[in-house]
Amino acid sequence: MSYNVHGLADDRAALVSLIRDLEPDVLIVQEAPRRFRWRHKCAALADDSGLVVAAGGLPALGNLLLVSMRVAVHETWCTRFPLTPGRHMRGAAFARGSVRGGRFTLSGSHLATDPAERPSQAAVWKEQLSAVEGPLIVAGDLNEGPGGGAWRMVEDGLSSPADSAPTFPASLPARRIDGIFVSTDITIEKYEVVDDERALSASDHLPVVADLVLPSS
């Protein structure tokens, strides 16, 4: 599940209820707490959602990886993109994990709103993603749709449905700017954008959910 939670500024009860009902093994969060008391706030979001913190928060500048107790986390790291003066610093979170013997690497990011800044961020992220060996799950808010250069760069060599629904803004979705991408050794069994009443009030983005089958261990 990938979700831009809008800094937890909207209906938190609806957000938590939605996550708990969907029961993701992995939740890739954008705009998670990254400033004052960020550790407590990220941990509280995880606990309320029935998950645990794997990586991210302030070290990844608001990108947060949460996992269920079924997932074993073996290694985590974060990266920060070069700062453009006058803009927000951004980054990405990574974790290597396994579930029922199936291993994978997970990464999430939130690219810039500035179209001049996004490609360089996507390039840094893609360079690190390309160095990962084995099954790879990538998700984030790319702030542009499938036709954009940054989206194409991130998606290159990975799989993602071409006909998914738009994700932003939640109240009247018109743009597909949030996505989940997987390496070709992972099977996508189901991929959907959740748009029930809770999703409409929980954030300004709609969440993306995918059922994935990892290669046999």
Side-chain angles (χ1 to χ4, degrees), residues 28 47 71 136 187 202 209:
I28 305 98
D47 186 57
V71 176
L136 177 63
T187 301
V209 179

Side-chain angles (χ1 to χ4, degrees), residues 22 31 39 42 49-50 57 59 64 69 82 121-122 136 138 151 170 173:
L22 291 170
E31 291 195 32
R39 287 185 180 87
C42 289
S49 303
L64 180 67
M69 294 300 293
Q121 293 178 351
L136 177 63
V138 177
W151 182 290

Side-chain angles (χ1 to χ4, degrees), residues 51-119:
L51 302 168
V52 295
V53 174
L58 176 61
L61 302 167
N63 297 290
L64 180 67
L65 307 180
L66 306 180
V67 298
S68 75
M69 294 300 293
R70 298 196 323 140
V71 176
V73 177
H74 307 288
E75 181 183 3
T76 67
W77 69 99
C78 297
T79 188
R80 295 184 176 187
F81 304 142
L83 176 64
T84 300
R87 304 293 300 175
H88 292 295
M89 180 173 280
R90 297 179 184 267
F94 296 80
R96 288 194 175 97
S98 62
V99 58
R100 294 184 176 177
R103 289 183 172 266
F104 61 91
T105 300
L106 175 72
S107 183
S109 188
H110 182 188
L111 301 184
T113 57
D114 182 359
E117 188 179 16
R118 268 197 307 273

Side-chain angles (χ1 to χ4, degrees), residues 51-201:
L51 302 168
V52 295
V53 174
L58 176 61
L61 302 167
N63 297 290
L64 180 67
L65 307 180
L66 306 180
V67 298
S68 75
M69 294 300 293
R70 298 196 323 140
V71 176
V73 177
H74 307 288
E75 181 183 3
T76 67
W77 69 99
C78 297
T79 188
R80 295 184 176 187
F81 304 142
L83 176 64
T84 300
R87 304 293 300 175
H88 292 295
M89 180 173 280
R90 297 179 184 267
F94 296 80
R96 288 194 175 97
S98 62
V99 58
R100 294 184 176 177
R103 289 183 172 266
F104 61 91
T105 300
L106 175 72
S107 183
S109 188
H110 182 188
L111 301 184
T113 57
D114 182 359
E117 188 179 16
R118 268 197 307 273
S120 62
Q121 293 178 351
V124 172
W125 191 25
K126 187 63 176 181
E127 182 179 10
Q128 298 189 25
L129 294 172
S130 297
V132 171
E133 297 182 357
L136 177 63
I137 302 168
V138 177
D141 172 1
L142 306 191
N143 266 312
E144 66 177 39
W151 182 290
R152 296 197 308 272
M153 188 183 305
V154 172
E155 188 178 34
D156 183 40
L158 303 175
S159 298
S160 185
D163 57 352
S164 176
T167 60
F168 182 84
S171 56
L172 190 63
R175 303 172 61 203
R176 181 190 176 196
I177 61 175
D178 306 89
I180 297 174
F181 313 87
V182 300
S183 54
T184 55
D185 52 358
I186 296 177
T187 301
I188 302 175
E189 288 205 324
K190 184 179 180 181
Y191 189 105
E192 65 176 327
V193 175
V194 180
D195 61 355
D196 67 13
E197 291 185 4
R198 291 171 299 180
L200 297 180
S201 59

